Amino acid sequence: MNHDTTRPSGPRSVVSSHTVFGAPCWVSLTSRDLDATQEFYSAVLGWRWRSGKLGDRFRIAVVGGTPVAGIAAVASMWQMAVAWTPYFAVPSADEAAARAQERGGTAAVGPISFPPGRAALLADRDGATFGVWEGELFTDWEKWQRAAPTFIRLHTRDAFDAAIFYGEVLDWATERPGCCEVVYEGGEVVLRSQGTIVARIESGALGAAPDPTIRPHWQIHFTVEDVTACVRAAEVHGGSVLSKGSDEAVLRDADGAQFTVVGV
């Protein structure tokens, strides 16, 4: 979802969802309190912030000049869960939403217009939430993709079944030029866009599990220089640690949103 609709002066190369369709193009956090969320992620991940044109409820996180993620403080207003969500580029948000519903998924929000595009918040047939975006991507999208500040992984009941669902909704592994490629490696589904791995899907989640970390969900991973420092900062600023390894930790922010930090 493009939170940043600012238009810098001078010539620029516009990248749209029509040319990179099916690929992850953004990650966004729905939160309740914008100020508290910014404070938490600034302390834990060192993020800085800038505004776009969507209003006071939206912010762009920036690291070293590269846009990393977006925050939308709309959880209370739209009666949505506080959570991190990946967005996928599509030629038509309406068509993608219809395809998802035809295949047993649901539409939570939209499609609705966010000039210069349209977005929808959906869930697959196992309940994992994801978004789709139609339109221009933010100005530095190619830089964001090269920097790879984020990575997404779907923990789901059946990776093969999920790959079929997303493939049909997002036109993966079709004959269309530029579509994402899907391969099966080591028991996982691996998604590549223009040769680069952009997502993985793994089996083993339990649909009825009371623990949300076990239920089907898309997990957002952020690369960091010091995992231990991130863990300490999260605890100091009201977050919690769900699991921790030598180079990776699963955290929950002060508002309850789950994410993973991975050492570079």
Side-chain angles (χ1 to χ4, degrees):
M1 181 178 182
N2 181 357
H3 291 156
D4 189 2
T5 58
T6 56
R7 294 178 179 275
S9 59
R12 68 184 180 103
S13 176
V14 175
V15 180
S16 83
S17 64
H18 297 269
T19 56
V20 295
F21 67 90
C25 63
W26 193 235
V27 293
S28 180
L29 171 64
T30 51
S31 75
R32 297 186 183 93
D33 187 322
L34 189 62
D35 291 337
T37 301
Q38 289 180 103
E39 181 180 351
F40 178 87
Y41 286 96
S42 293
V44 175
L45 299 178
W47 289 352
R48 298 295 178 262
W49 306 93
R50 75 185 190 206
S51 301
K53 291 186 177 179
L54 291 181
D56 295 336
R57 293 179 181 269
F58 298 87
R59 292 291 186 277
I60 304 295
V62 180
V63 175
T66 300
V68 175
I71 292 178
V74 296
S76 299
M77 181 175 65
W78 289 351
Q79 297 183 340
M80 296 167 57
V82 173
W84 279 102
T85 303
Y87 279 77
F88 295 84
V90 294
S92 169
D94 294 88
E95 183 175 334
R99 288 181 179 180
Q101 291 174 294
E102 289 168 359
R103 289 157 178 80
T106 57
V109 178
I112 54 179
S113 295
F114 281 104
R118 286 174 64 74
L121 186 64
L122 311 172
D124 65 25
R125 50 190 169 220
D126 284 319
T129 301
F130 68 102
V132 293
W133 171 256
E134 168 198 348
E136 291 184 20
L137 307 183
F138 60 86
T139 308
D140 298 323
W141 180 83
E142 290 176 322
K143 184 177 180 181
W144 176 78
Q145 186 187 43
R146 289 194 301 270
T150 66
F151 185 78
I152 62 173
R153 182 187 297 270
L154 176 61
H155 301 270
T156 190
R157 177 185 54 81
D158 184 323
F160 182 78
D161 182 72
I164 293 174
F165 173 87
Y166 285 96
E168 292 176 342
V169 172
L170 302 174
D171 275 332
W172 292 350
T174 64
E175 295 181 354
R176 294 185 58 180
C179 73
C180 290
E181 301 172 353
V182 177
V183 296
Y184 300 90
E185 298 177 355
E188 289 186 327
V189 174
V190 178
L191 182 70
R192 284 187 171 89
S193 175
Q194 301 174 4
T196 301
I197 296 176
V198 292
R200 294 180 183 270
I201 302 175
E202 66 177 24
S203 300
L206 303 176
D211 185 346
T213 65
I214 299 175
R215 293 198 299 265
H217 67 282
W218 282 97
Q219 185 76 359
I220 310 299
H221 299 244
F222 297 106
T223 56
V224 298
E225 293 185 358
D226 191 333
V227 171
T228 300
C230 291
V231 169
R232 287 198 299 263
E235 292 176 318
V236 168
H237 290 81
S240 57
V241 182
L242 301 181
S243 66
K244 183 181 182 302
S246 59
D247 60 354
E248 180 176 306
V250 181
L251 307 177
R252 185 173 284 149
D253 68 22
D255 214 11
Q258 178 181 313
F259 63 102
T260 297
V261 291
V262 181
V264 293

